[in-house]
Amino acid sequence: MHSGPDGAGQIDSAKVEEIVLSLTAERLGRLVEQVDSSASLIDLGLSSIDAVLLCGEIEERLLVAVDPISVFECESLSDFIAIIRDAVATRQADIG
């Protein structure tokens, strides 16, 4: 296992947002510009299977555990991104 996404040691919150938006758009079959981060992932059309796959892709890319249930508990994609951002920050603090 490497120390960070794409071999990087640290990742900033803007990059986390970019990665999650990109993976979400890809999973939805849309361009990033077509994804409204104020909408819920359900309203954007993400299915439960897509949620599991998206979380797996995020885990692989950012090296953090993501519970697919959080996809459906978040009121917006922005809220989901905040959860991922916090998890990445915690992981980075732990590995110091």
Side-chain angles (χ1 to χ4, degrees):
M1 183 183 293
H2 49 79
S3 61
D6 303 325
Q10 297 287 312
I11 183 168
D12 65 29
S13 64
K15 186 67 175 175
V16 170
E17 182 172 1
E18 177 186 322
I19 290 169
V20 175
L21 278 171
S22 175
L23 291 172
T24 302
E26 185 178 322
R27 178 70 29 216
L28 293 168
R30 300 181 189 177
L31 299 173
V32 170
E33 298 79 22
Q34 296 173 316
V35 177
D36 178 4
S37 62
S38 67
S40 75
L41 287 158
I42 296 167
D43 290 343
L44 289 170
L46 201 73
S47 72
S48 58
I49 292 170
D50 288 328
V52 171
L53 295 172
L54 175 62
C55 289
E57 291 164 355
I58 292 168
E59 288 177 5
E60 182 178 308
R61 192 75 187 275
L62 296 175
L63 305 178
V64 294
V66 182
D67 186 348
I69 292 172
S70 64
V71 168
F72 302 104
E73 292 177 339
C74 291
E75 291 187 20
S76 68
L77 175 55
S78 293
D79 291 345
F80 181 66
I81 291 169
I83 289 171
I84 306 306
R85 189 180 298 126
D86 290 347
V88 170
T90 299
R91 180 187 58 80
Q92 290 180 158
D94 289 347
I95 62 173

